[in-house]
Amino acid sequence: MTPHSLIILFLEFIGSFLLFFFFALLPIYFLFSATERKLVADLQARVGPHHGGAEGVLQGFYDFVKLITKRTPQRSTGGSASWIWSAISTALIFGFFAVLPMRMEQPYFQSDLSLFLPLIIFILASCAHVLFGQEFDDFSTVFGSHRRATTVLSLSAPILTSVLGLVIFTGETSLVRLGTMQGASPLSWNIFGSYGAIFQFGSLFWAGLILTFQPPFEEIGFDGVGRRGFELVRHDLTLFWARFSWAIYLTILYFGAGQPGEIFGTTGMGNFIWSAVIVIKALLLLLLGKLLGKALVQVRLEQVNHLIWKWLFPLGLVGLVLSVI
Amino acid sequence: MSRDTIPLQMGPIHSGLPGIMKLNLILQGDVILKTDLEFGYSHRKIERLLQDNDWLSSFIYVDRIDSEASFFYEWAYAQAVEELCNFQVPKRAQRIREIFADLAIISGHLLYLARMMRILRFETAYHYILREREVILDLFELLAGARSNMNYLRYGGVSQDISEGFLQRVFDLSTQFLLRTEEYRAVIFENASLRARLSGLAVLKPETIVAYDLDGPNVRAATPLESQLMIGSIGGDALSRVETRMRDVIARFTHLRQLVDQVPPGDFCLFEYDRDFSVPAGEVFQSVESYRGEISVHLISDGTEKPKRVAWRTPSQRIVQAIPSLLEGLPLHEASVVLWSLDLSVSEVDK
């Protein structure tokens, strides 16, 4: 590959990411957060946002505009390194699936290592925080950011063992091809896929659900100092994007994805419809998780860690051993 | 202090604390080894201020001991003055006070439950509970013109008569709440995640209760009779404290439905109040039962227009003494939950 073509590829990546960010991610985020807030408000016997746009659809945008005039308080002990690393981890998380809708001929998760890629990105993002992120002296963050990042690292242990078991069992390392092997249509919610039943509800499934429903990395990427409007959107978007990414991962692997071109045709429009169906299913999964979360007491990191090391990790090991046998 | 212990100061202003107070903790990892409590950040010298004010305007200061339980402080104070003056409160005023007391107990318990749900991040239950409490605050406003710091009671009666339709609204609210009891039970008390979080947490032992002279719902939750009624609770733990309050709320609403039919016609106070009122010389000790426990006032009058000496004994003063032993050995993240589960009012402690 010549340097010229590398530059073209890089620009194409940046361009597609920016297009995706402003014309797909932001509208989805605003619409989804409005829907989510309305549904939760209904569950909790209150009205919910209703001033920002029609029925509060633009409430997130209004919050952004309101808070753009305000600054986050400057923390006395916070140096520049703290927010640089959180920004890097945020960028890494955003890198996940970034080129999905724009380059359907080479989709991100059709690549040969796509089963591992999300995991690697999350491990990198957590490591950035654990190793380089700066803790602050006030009580709320002493046990905050690092603990959450460490929990994500813990979660990667059962996921890694489970994924390894899956790879050994099936000989496949592509996310979409594995999803296709389940034999379920993208228009169904076939969670009992025909292939690899032992992994259907293994540790990968449950750990993925934890990351989808209640990400322990909630505070990662919120150490920045600046305009509160930007910080709010950056934090919320990162959180949404992280949950959304795992929801897509789970949808393709467990909730019926089929493959691009199977039902909707192999044209560009067919690929687009296929992506839209996957996105809608992932969003529905997120909504379900949100409603479930609001009906329960908040889960603590200790409980998550207990679940990971006492149940999910042994389950992943059992899967790995069985697949080797 | 050994090298593997960590000192941590929590407060004075912290969202996990029930008020302006400070916890000086010694941690090993995230386990609490030792707790020292610091109070006095919101001291308003109320007992001293009462000596400088006449008997009528004292009620305004009495309210400020704890804004949420202001009714009970007013009641104890009014009863003390009535005993010194040998007043017979009219029947109608007595009934109004009883209704108000029930509403205040319910309001206090609902606020307790809402705060517990908030500290557990159980938003849905939090909003459900506040929905009910708002109606009670509306009733307070209708009755006394204020939602907290009511300044409603007077020695010899109450400051205003109940307005038209008040009793009907109390009856309707009681009926509606009792219909919603099942909903509360399903959402809150049959919720496995909540039970798992609170069950067995910070058990109040009999020797602690005796040592610090505790009373109120915290102690009722630790009695064998109460603990037999609970599912999955061992009695005296945070879960039983929450459930006892809910049971108390239901009992109070049932009581209110009977009380609203028993308000006789007649006067609501003995006389027109003025600032020249003086109380005969004497000394009295009076107590009332608030939703946190017993509130007592020791009042000395020298026959003038101002009290000579007023001293208060509040339930939170006693509860705080039990906190270090309850927190010992618990992980740090449970500290806030334990503090809130005891229904502590820092305002009551500092006065």
Side-chain angles (χ1 to χ4, degrees):
Chain A
M1 192 175 276
T2 61
H4 180 71
S5 59
L6 265 177
I7 291 170
I8 295 288
L9 191 67
F10 179 70
L11 289 178
E12 202 177 338
F13 174 81
I14 297 289
S16 62
F17 179 73
L18 288 178
L19 276 174
F20 171 68
F21 187 83
F22 287 107
F23 293 99
L25 179 60
L26 273 182
I28 287 177
Y29 161 68
F30 283 133
L31 280 172
F32 178 75
S33 62
T35 314
E36 194 181 63
R37 287 171 74 172
K38 273 287 181 192
L39 270 177
V40 170
D42 195 45
L43 174 79
Q44 295 177 345
R46 57 189 174 87
V47 178
H50 58 283
H51 280 305
E55 294 295 319
V57 168
L58 294 177
Q59 190 63 49
F61 180 68
Y62 277 41
D63 290 346
F64 167 71
V65 171
K66 181 185 75 182
L67 291 171
I68 202 81
T69 57
K70 297 176 180 178
R71 296 189 71 86
T72 47
Q74 180 80 41
R75 298 183 184 186
S76 56
T77 54
S80 58
S82 56
W83 69 266
I84 285 175
W85 286 107
S86 66
I88 288 173
S89 61
T90 304
L92 279 169
I93 290 171
F94 271 99
F96 186 23
F97 292 135
V99 288
L100 156 70
M102 297 302 154
R103 293 177 58 83
M104 285 314 300
E105 70 277 15
Q106 294 171 347
Y108 187 76
F109 38 54
Q110 275 195 353
S111 67
D112 283 341
L113 289 173
S114 54
L115 197 60
F116 293 99
L117 255 121
L119 186 62
I120 291 165
I121 285 167
F122 274 83
I123 288 175
L124 282 176
S126 311
C127 281
H129 258 270
V130 173
L131 296 176
F132 305 108
Q134 188 171 345
E135 292 279 354
F136 297 103
D137 278 346
D138 73 278
F139 177 76
S140 60
T141 50
V142 164
F143 297 101
S145 183
H146 279 188
R147 272 193 152 189
R148 288 178 168 84
T150 322
T151 309
V152 179
L153 283 179
S154 302
L155 262 173
S156 59
I159 294 181
L160 200 61
T161 48
S162 192
V163 165
L164 278 176
L166 198 58
V167 169
I168 292 169
F169 192 61
T170 59
E172 186 57 76
T173 54
S174 159
L175 186 64
V176 168
R177 284 204 290 276
L178 258 174
T180 308
M181 286 160 79
Q182 304 285 1
S185 157
L187 294 177
S188 73
W189 283 90
N190 186 6
I191 56 172
F192 294 101
S194 60
Y195 195 72
I198 192 168
F199 300 105
Q200 289 294 63
F201 294 101
S203 52
L204 176 58
F205 180 76
W206 296 114
L209 273 188
I210 290 173
L211 286 163
T212 307
F213 286 173
Q214 193 167 17
F217 38 76
E218 197 165 324
E219 293 300 319
I220 288 184
F222 196 42
D223 294 342
V225 175
R227 297 278 168 192
R228 275 172 63 191
F230 287 123
E231 287 303 309
L232 177 83
V233 171
R234 187 167 73 86
H235 173 249
D236 281 9
L237 262 179
T238 312
L239 190 59
F240 169 71
W241 190 230
R243 289 167 61 206
F244 183 50
S245 309
W246 280 103
I248 286 184
Y249 192 90
L250 285 189
T251 306
I252 290 174
L253 210 53
Y254 292 112
F255 295 117
Q259 58 179 323
E262 184 184 340
I263 291 183
F264 308 109
T266 50
T267 60
M269 184 51 77
N271 281 336
F272 180 77
I273 295 174
W274 178 81
S275 326
V277 169
I278 301 292
V279 165
I280 289 168
K281 285 170 86 169
L283 290 177
L284 287 174
L285 192 64
L286 283 186
L287 276 182
L288 178 73
K290 192 72 174 179
L291 290 177
L292 199 66
K294 294 293 172 189
L296 297 171
V297 171
Q298 192 192 37
V299 182
R300 296 193 319 269
L301 289 186
E302 290 76 19
Q303 290 172 314
V304 175
N305 277 321
H306 182 269
L307 184 72
I308 291 167
W309 293 109
K310 295 279 171 63
W311 295 100
L312 295 186
F313 187 60
L315 194 64
L317 281 180
V318 169
L320 185 61
V321 170
L322 284 178
S323 60
V324 169
I325 293 170
Chain B
M1 194 186 305
S2 66
R3 287 186 65 187
D4 56 345
T5 56
I6 311 163
L8 182 74
Q9 295 183 358
M10 194 172 165
I13 295 173
H14 190 280
S15 58
L17 294 175
I20 307 175
M21 60 181 279
K22 197 155 121 187
L23 285 183
N24 295 316
L25 302 166
I26 304 291
L27 304 174
Q28 188 163 40
D30 64 350
V31 176
I32 299 170
L33 292 185
K34 190 170 177 294
T35 311
D36 276 335
L37 299 157
E38 264 186 53
F39 290 95
Y41 294 97
S42 59
H43 177 57
R44 288 144 295 157
K45 63 166 187 172
I46 285 177
E47 288 173 343
R48 181 67 185 79
L49 282 170
L50 286 173
Q51 296 175 30
D52 293 341
N53 283 276
D54 57 71
W55 294 96
L56 184 60
S57 45
S58 295
F59 282 100
I60 296 168
Y61 293 96
V62 165
D63 278 341
R64 265 70 180 175
I65 295 175
D66 183 14
S67 302
E68 286 141 19
S70 62
F71 172 82
F72 299 101
Y73 286 95
E74 287 181 20
W75 202 6
Y77 195 71
Q79 280 190 0
V81 177
E82 282 154 10
E83 193 175 321
L84 278 175
C85 300
N86 204 16
F87 286 160
Q88 286 299 316
V89 181
K91 278 279 179 204
R92 184 176 177 81
Q94 279 182 23
R95 283 284 178 266
I96 294 172
R97 284 180 179 186
E98 283 169 28
I99 290 173
F100 207 142
D102 272 352
L103 286 173
I105 286 175
I106 292 165
S107 166
H109 283 337
L110 289 182
L111 186 62
Y112 166 88
L113 290 168
R115 283 169 167 171
M116 276 301 285
M117 297 306 130
R118 187 181 136 267
I119 207 73
L120 295 168
R121 302 277 181 93
F122 191 5
E123 280 182 34
T124 304
Y126 171 71
H127 285 288
Y128 279 17
I129 292 163
L130 284 190
R131 176 184 61 185
E132 310 295 346
R133 187 167 179 269
E134 275 302 302
V135 185
I136 296 177
L137 293 186
D138 287 345
L139 287 175
F140 285 164
E141 204 170 355
L142 192 66
L143 196 62
R147 294 162 82 86
S148 64
N149 294 326
M150 252 74 81
N151 188 17
Y152 182 63
L153 295 199
R154 296 288 181 268
Y155 30 84
V158 293
S159 64
Q160 299 157 53
D161 200 2
I162 49 175
S163 53
E164 198 178 333
F166 176 80
L167 294 176
Q168 185 59 43
R169 284 179 71 166
V170 171
F171 184 81
D172 291 346
L173 171 68
S174 312
T175 312
Q176 193 180 34
F177 187 90
L178 292 172
L179 285 173
R180 282 180 178 163
T181 307
E182 275 310 306
E183 185 183 326
Y184 276 90
R185 184 153 291 282
V187 170
I188 303 172
F189 296 106
E190 288 173 9
N191 191 316
S193 63
L194 183 125
R195 303 193 79 87
R197 180 78 196 267
L198 295 181
S199 182
L201 180 67
V203 178
L204 209 51
K205 296 190 177 70
E207 53 268 27
T208 314
I209 293 167
V210 174
Y212 300 122
D213 193 18
L214 304 183
D215 57 3
N218 291 335
V219 174
R220 288 208 298 279
T223 55
L225 176 67
E226 291 276 346
S227 58
Q228 279 169 13
L229 298 170
M230 293 159 206
I231 310 158
S233 168
I234 60 171
D237 58 353
L239 178 62
S240 60
R241 290 198 275 278
V242 172
E243 287 196 315
T244 302
R245 262 118 181 149
M246 192 63 194
R247 201 172 297 124
D248 208 6
V249 168
I250 293 168
R252 293 289 166 174
F253 269 125
T254 315
H255 186 223
L256 267 179
R257 276 160 58 96
Q258 297 161 3
L259 264 185
V260 291
D261 294 333
Q262 298 171 11
V263 182
D267 291 334
F268 61 90
C269 61
L270 285 178
F271 47 83
E272 287 288 319
Y273 297 98
D274 60 28
R275 289 173 185 274
D276 298 331
F277 179 78
S278 59
V279 172
E283 186 172 350
V284 67
F285 186 83
Q286 262 293 346
S287 300
V288 295
E289 176 80 12
S290 82
Y291 57 86
R292 290 198 183 97
E294 190 185 81
I295 291 172
S296 311
V297 57
H298 183 196
L299 184 63
I300 302 173
S301 169
D302 53 4
T304 60
E305 291 159 1
K306 293 174 184 173
K308 187 184 178 196
R309 179 80 177 93
V310 188
W312 292 92
R313 185 171 178 271
T314 64
S316 295
Q317 277 176 323
R318 305 192 290 277
I319 294 169
V320 292
Q321 300 173 74
I323 290 174
S325 61
L326 285 175
L327 289 185
E328 196 181 322
L330 284 180
L332 178 62
H333 55 76
E334 301 289 19
S336 301
V337 180
V338 173
L339 288 181
W340 285 106
S341 79
L342 293 167
D343 200 6
L344 179 67
S345 163
V346 179
S347 178
E348 270 186 1
V349 181
D350 283 346
K351 296 198 287 278

